[in-house]
Amino acid sequence: MLEKLNYIKLFAMTVIGGVGGWIIELFGGWTEDLTTLLIFMGVDYFLGLLIAGFWKKSNKSETGTLSSWSAWKGLCRKGVSLLVVLIAHRLDLTLSLSYIKTAVIIAFIANEGLSIMENLGIMGVPFSPVIQNAIEILIKRSEKRDEGE
């Protein structure tokens, strides 16, 4: 019985690892900018849950409290953002370029960073001007890449 459970566990881990590797390969491999984007997305989502759950000041629901529908919409929005990153990578490959995906990721990082700062403001948490300046630099860099400079 224990051997059968170990076999099932090994099979499941192999399938999950294979599917995960395939998905990461679709995105052009695991890069630091993608890691940063995923961390920012996770932090933003978590802070949104805290604001709705504890501060009850969410602008995503009528009552300002937790809403499963609002949470689902937020996750879908982040998922679609990742699909845009996937499309950008495919455009890079198709056009033999190497900057479209990076520009898209930087734009999304800047957007998530602004959202995190807004959430911190709602919570009354002071944040370092260094972080604010870094996000402004990301926004400017994103705008320059969008203009083709």
Side-chain angles (χ1 to χ4, degrees):
M1 181 68 170
L2 187 59
E3 282 184 33
K4 188 173 184 176
L5 287 176
N6 284 337
Y7 175 76
I8 292 171
K9 180 180 171 183
L10 178 64
F11 179 77
M13 290 172 61
T14 303
V15 169
I16 291 169
V19 170
W22 177 73
I23 290 170
I24 292 304
E25 183 60 31
L26 280 177
F27 280 90
W30 197 264
T31 58
E32 290 302 317
D33 53 357
L34 185 59
T35 301
T36 302
L37 176 60
L38 292 174
I39 289 170
F40 273 47
M41 286 179 160
V43 168
D44 181 49
Y45 189 77
F46 177 71
L47 290 176
L49 290 176
L50 285 178
I51 287 170
F54 292 109
W55 279 265
K56 301 188 184 344
K57 292 183 179 179
S58 174
N59 59 0
K60 308 292 187 211
S61 68
E62 292 178 18
T63 61
T65 59
L66 284 172
S67 162
S68 61
W69 181 246
S70 294
W72 175 245
K73 285 189 335 188
L75 286 176
C76 287
R77 201 172 295 122
K78 291 183 187 317
V80 169
S81 297
L82 292 174
L83 285 176
V84 173
V85 171
L86 173 68
I87 290 168
H89 172 65
R90 297 308 306 175
L91 285 172
D92 271 345
L93 292 176
T94 302
L95 301 172
S96 298
L97 301 172
S98 62
Y99 60 85
I100 298 172
K101 176 183 134 183
T102 302
V104 167
I105 289 176
I106 289 172
F108 282 129
I109 289 171
N111 187 49
E112 294 291 334
L114 287 174
S115 181
I116 289 169
M117 287 175 26
E118 289 171 359
N119 289 339
L120 292 174
I122 291 170
M123 297 168 75
V125 176
F127 47 87
S128 169
V130 173
I131 293 174
Q132 187 172 359
N133 290 339
I135 290 172
E136 288 173 7
I137 290 169
L138 282 173
I139 291 169
K140 288 177 185 170
R141 185 179 293 175
S142 173
E143 289 170 353
K144 282 182 183 176
R145 290 196 183 207
D146 287 344
E147 294 169 1
E149 294 180 11

